[in-house]
Amino acid sequence: MAVLAALALFVSACGTGGTGARDEGPAHADSVAGAKISASPSPSPSKTTDRVDAVRLVKADPAVSAEVKRELKPCVADQYPVDVSYGDLTGGSADDVVVNVLTCGDAVGIGSYVYREQDGSYQNVFKAEAPPVYAEIDRGDLVVTKQVYEKGDPVSAPSGETVITYHWRGSRFAQTYSSRNDYGKTAEDGPTPAPAD
């Protein structure tokens, strides 16, 4: 009896001759003529920021330490070890500029800075110079990552990292969140020997 019921259901489903929702096709214009159509919001004009000379900006900044300025030299020809990001962090009329200064050999961050445009020039509104450090823009917040090294850690294998999130509050960045990630240690001497019987 159950087999006959299943067979009847199968035959009736196949008997419609359709392919399901694909038979419906697009809606006809006259069927939606009475529907209220809301205009999509026009995109707000994006901030335009001229690209800055990050090396000149950092070297001219009195807030940047002499050590970072001394280390800021070309790695190859005129290629300086700087990463530059543009985005809205402080709500100003122009995009803010995040500059990370790195070492040439292993690209370790030695300084991270945020510059805000004020009256036609860029002002330093944030700095972190405890290497290794790296700053990024994440959904309007400043996220600073600091690698954590314990005694004996090689540069290529830190023990972990601290991630700190800052949000612009009025005239300065305020820390809003912090987390610590510890990295697992893997055996460097090859596979672990099998236990003796």
Side-chain angles (χ1 to χ4, degrees):
M1 190 69 166
V3 171
L4 286 176
L7 183 58
L9 184 61
F10 177 73
V11 170
S12 68
C14 291
T16 62
T19 56
R22 283 198 282 192
D23 280 347
E24 296 301 319
H28 296 287
D30 57 348
S31 68
V32 293
K36 183 178 180 183
I37 299 174
S38 61
S40 58
S42 59
S44 59
S46 61
K47 297 177 182 181
T48 56
T49 300
D50 294 329
R51 297 298 182 235
V52 300
D53 182 340
V55 173
R56 181 180 296 171
L57 194 62
V58 169
K59 287 190 172 188
D61 184 355
V64 175
S65 71
E67 182 180 352
V68 170
K69 289 180 182 179
R70 192 170 43 253
E71 292 293 321
L72 184 52
K73 358 178 208 198
C75 298
V76 178
D78 61 348
Q79 300 297 312
Y80 284 84
V82 293
D83 287 348
V84 184
S85 302
Y86 300 87
D88 184 10
L89 286 169
T90 67
S93 60
D95 278 340
D96 301 300
V97 182
V98 177
V99 180
N100 287 288
V101 178
L102 313 168
T103 59
C104 285
D106 44 21
V108 171
I110 58 173
S112 297
Y113 310 93
V114 177
Y115 294 94
R116 182 175 199 246
E117 192 273 331
Q118 293 176 334
D119 301 324
S121 64
Y122 284 94
Q123 305 298 318
N124 184 323
V125 292
F126 179 88
K127 77 172 184 174
E129 294 182 326
V133 63
Y134 198 86
E136 300 173 278
I137 300 169
D138 183 11
R139 292 170 286 188
D141 285 331
L142 177 66
V143 178
V144 178
T145 303
K146 297 181 179 184
Q147 300 295 321
V148 176
Y149 289 89
E150 293 178 3
K151 187 174 180 179
D153 285 348
V155 172
S156 61
S159 291
E161 67 181 7
T162 301
V163 181
I164 305 168
T165 302
Y166 296 91
H167 189 77
W168 185 257
R169 298 246 167 94
S171 61
R172 65 179 187 84
F173 283 102
Q175 181 177 327
T176 57
Y177 185 76
S178 177
S179 65
R180 164 76 187 253
N181 302 312
D182 290 325
Y183 303 146
K185 296 293 184 183
T186 59
E188 296 177 3
D189 298 329
T192 305
D197 291 326

